[in-house]
Amino acid sequence: MTAHTLDELRVLNTYAALPAPFYTRLSPQPLNAPRLLHANPEAAALIGLDRGALGTPEFLAVFSGAQPLPGGDTLAAVYSGHQFGIWAGQLGDGRAHLLGEVAGPQGRWELQLKGSGMTPYSRMGDGRAVLRSSVREYLASEAMHGLGIPTTRALALVVSDDPVMRETVETAAIVTRMSPSFVRFGSFEHWSARRQPDMLRTLADYVIDHDYPECRMPPAGEPADDKAPYVALLREVTRRTAELMADWQAVGFCHGVMNTDNMSILGLTLDYGPYGFMDGFRLDHVCNHSDSEGRYSWNRQPSVALWNLYRLGGSLHMLVQDVDALRAVLDEFEGIFTRAFHERARAKLGLAAWRPDDEPLLDDLLRLMHANHADFTLSWRRLSDAVRGERQAFEDLFIDRPAAGAWLDRLLARQAGDGRPPAEVAQAMDAVNPLYVLRNHLAEEAIQAAKRGDAGEIDTLLTLLRAPCQARPGYEKYAALPPDWASSIEVSCSS
């Protein structure tokens, strides 16, 4: 039954039931004179909350940090992690508060405030988030969901005139994030680094029982083994992470900060900081201005994900103690990722089935796009125009038009070998190659409007990004090449 008020939500506190060292119980630090800039009815529906509840004073009070979630047990979680490949030691929710877990009509969702004040894990931070980064996270999580990519969700965006010092003085905001779990790879590293196997086992058992109960089932024909569930957990996380990387690569998404504390144990896209959807394609594109060495460039994301999985596997070794079993699971990553990426490329290229000899066709397109700095999203989208006989739209994206035309001839010949009608192929390609993505300049325009108290651009973008492959007359500017000023936008870890 749909809940009409926050009081009617069925709130659980399973993470709060873990032993005390997993978190610190504390209240958020509310914003002064908070204003609800935007609320997301689609996310609200996931927890059974009616649209009418979103504009109430009670809703604003809870999601500005002024009041607890009714029935919730508010806390900040501890974890550790590797940041830019270097062990950073203890980290944790330095500006986030977990309000509770809601059992909704479509599963369980934890509600977390981000930007809600200092915690014991804030280190040198002030516990706040700024409007700029909060708008970007609010939009990005919904954009990724629209693309069918596993992600956290966003429920509400609350703003205030409270000053926050970054490179300049900005204003504060709180974004409410939703996820079935906010446990990270770094949550496991924390207890492994502290040499506390009992706490590590408690966490692993919690994650398995809460999110991966199938890992308790022994493989057919094999005897029960008390260590097998932990191997099975690593296998499932490896699979989900490999497929997530294929999803990111297929849409030109760069996370920007793939630290182990930003890697979800559920294989979700977690922690939207200096992310970016590529405009002009570069194989080694780096979206994070703070990443001076290019550790998290687009082409390195899959290998970094595997590196992070090795850190998770190393933590679980304390429970499993069978190096060969863990390594065998991690060795599955490359094959899973490659098959998943090829499947996405197959659909994007309009092929009926992937063949090994299609690899040069894909590689040559990426090289051509890289050499010409061709727009990533439009290069893929306009392939369907070429299939319909309108080659110019695709070729116009390339400085070397003859090379683009020659490659296109190869694609069309390959498609013809499948024997499908071109109109059918083009329609299928349009269903998987998005027209609208959250480009940096579109997010920036929404941020500037939000600074004026105008959420209209957020509304427009959410409408387009929820169905990113569907062309909408009148919204051509949102699918156009970026303006020249977009190249000056820099995103970093400063948010």
Side-chain angles (χ1 to χ4, degrees):
M1 183 175 72
T2 299
H4 296 287
T5 68
L6 290 169
D7 290 321
E8 295 176 302
L9 295 178
R10 184 181 166 216
V11 179
L12 310 172
N13 294 290
T14 61
Y15 197 85
L18 290 170
F22 280 87
Y23 49 76
T24 298
R25 285 188 169 89
L26 78 168
S27 298
Q29 297 168 349
L31 298 175
N32 292 304
R35 305 181 299 277
L36 180 65
L37 180 67
H38 205 276
N40 184 357
E42 287 196 3
L46 296 173
I47 57 174
L49 193 62
D50 185 73
R51 179 187 293 263
L54 304 183
T56 63
E58 293 79 13
F59 186 88
L60 177 59
V62 169
F63 298 110
S64 65
Q67 293 181 10
L69 179 72
D73 193 349
T74 307
L75 58 86
V78 67
Y79 45 83
S80 295
H82 284 81
Q83 299 191 326
F84 290 90
I86 300 171
W87 176 243
Q90 178 178 298
L91 303 168
D93 290 334
R95 55 174 172 171
H97 292 73
L98 179 66
L99 301 183
E101 178 184 1
V102 178
Q106 301 183 51
R108 296 174 300 186
W109 293 87
E110 291 184 346
L111 306 184
Q112 184 190 75
L113 303 183
K114 182 177 180 180
S116 45
M118 294 180 66
T119 77
Y121 317 116
S122 297
R123 298 189 289 169
M124 301 298 291
D126 58 14
R128 290 302 186 194
V130 298
L131 173 64
R132 164 177 51 92
S133 64
S134 300
V135 170
R136 284 175 57 83
E137 174 142 5
Y138 189 81
L139 289 170
S141 55
E142 296 307 294
M144 293 292 269
H145 176 69
L147 289 164
I149 299 176
T151 178
T152 57
R153 302 294 300 274
L155 175 63
L157 182 56
V158 176
V159 301
S160 166
D161 292 330
D162 290 346
V164 179
M165 176 59 72
R166 294 296 184 259
E167 283 93 344
T168 61
V169 177
E170 302 186 52
T171 56
I174 292 176
V175 61
T176 302
R177 310 195 292 185
M178 296 172 45
S179 177
S181 174
F182 285 98
V183 174
R184 304 132 189 278
F185 291 11
S187 305
F188 288 80
E189 287 185 287
H190 181 74
W191 301 114
S192 174
R194 289 177 172 238
R195 311 305 298 173
Q196 293 184 255
D198 290 344
M199 300 298 278
L200 180 63
R201 182 175 290 105
T202 295
L203 176 63
D205 287 342
Y206 170 77
V207 169
I208 290 170
D209 294 338
H210 188 265
D211 300 299
Y212 293 103
E214 66 277 10
C215 290
R216 295 285 184 202
M217 300 294 294
E222 294 187 13
D225 178 352
D226 61 354
K227 298 176 182 178
Y230 308 125
V231 177
L233 172 63
L234 182 62
R235 173 170 283 111
E236 183 60 18
V237 177
T238 297
R239 181 190 67 80
R240 292 192 188 192
T241 304
E243 293 189 352
L244 180 68
M245 292 304 105
D247 286 333
W248 288 4
Q249 303 301 90
V251 297
F253 175 79
C254 296
H255 184 278
V257 197
M258 289 179 64
N259 300 331
T260 58
D261 57 296
N262 293 335
M263 296 293 292
S264 163
I265 202 68
L266 299 184
L268 307 176
T269 312
L270 176 71
D271 284 341
Y272 291 94
Y275 68 85
F277 288 87
M278 274 190 283
D279 293 328
F281 179 63
R282 285 286 186 267
L283 287 163
D284 55 351
H285 175 76
V286 178
C287 69
N288 181 358
H289 188 63
S290 303
D291 185 6
S292 58
E293 296 183 0
R295 176 179 176 84
Y296 299 139
S297 61
W298 178 83
N299 58 340
R300 295 182 68 180
Q301 289 185 140
S303 61
V304 169
L306 180 57
W307 191 93
N308 290 340
L309 284 163
Y310 264 90
R311 308 288 78 75
L312 176 62
S315 298
L316 290 173
H317 177 251
M318 184 175 287
L319 303 180
V320 176
Q321 298 171 349
D322 185 341
V323 173
D324 291 338
L326 295 171
R327 184 176 290 117
V329 169
L330 295 168
D331 285 346
E332 297 172 7
F333 176 92
E334 184 177 357
I336 296 170
F337 167 77
T338 300
R339 288 189 295 273
F341 185 61
H342 284 168
E343 174 56 26
R344 286 151 182 77
R346 176 205 64 76
K348 292 172 75 67
L349 290 168
L351 307 179
W354 181 264
R355 302 191 313 222
D357 58 0
D358 290 327
E359 188 81 47
L361 185 68
L362 173 60
D363 287 348
D364 288 348
L365 173 60
L366 295 178
R367 291 191 186 97
L368 184 66
M369 291 166 60
H370 173 87
N372 289 262
H373 206 199
D375 188 84
F376 185 92
T377 299
L378 292 181
S379 291
W380 288 102
R381 179 71 181 198
R382 292 185 183 178
L383 285 178
S384 60
D385 294 330
V387 173
R388 295 184 179 97
E390 302 168 9
R391 301 169 57 110
Q392 182 176 345
F394 174 77
E395 293 173 355
D396 282 350
L397 295 171
F398 296 83
I399 298 171
D400 190 347
R401 290 173 55 89
W407 180 89
L408 197 55
D409 289 338
R410 292 166 58 195
L411 173 67
L412 296 177
R414 170 66 179 85
Q415 289 178 345
D418 288 335
R420 295 189 297 165
E424 176 186 314
V425 173
Q427 184 176 8
M429 294 170 73
D430 280 345
V432 296
N433 287 319
L435 182 60
Y436 310 106
V437 296
L438 186 58
R439 297 174 183 269
N440 275 338
H441 76 278
L442 297 178
E444 183 62 26
E445 289 175 343
I447 291 166
Q448 295 306 318
K451 288 180 178 179
R452 302 189 296 270
D454 179 3
E457 278 300 304
I458 294 177
D459 278 325
T460 297
L461 286 172
L462 288 179
T463 297
L464 298 174
L465 296 170
R466 283 172 177 150
C469 295
Q470 177 184 339
R472 293 178 180 267
Y475 293 91
E476 287 77 13
K477 79 165 192 172
Y478 295 91
L481 290 167
D484 290 341
W485 61 265
S487 62
S488 66
I489 298 174
E490 292 182 350
V491 293
S492 69
C493 296
S494 68
S495 64

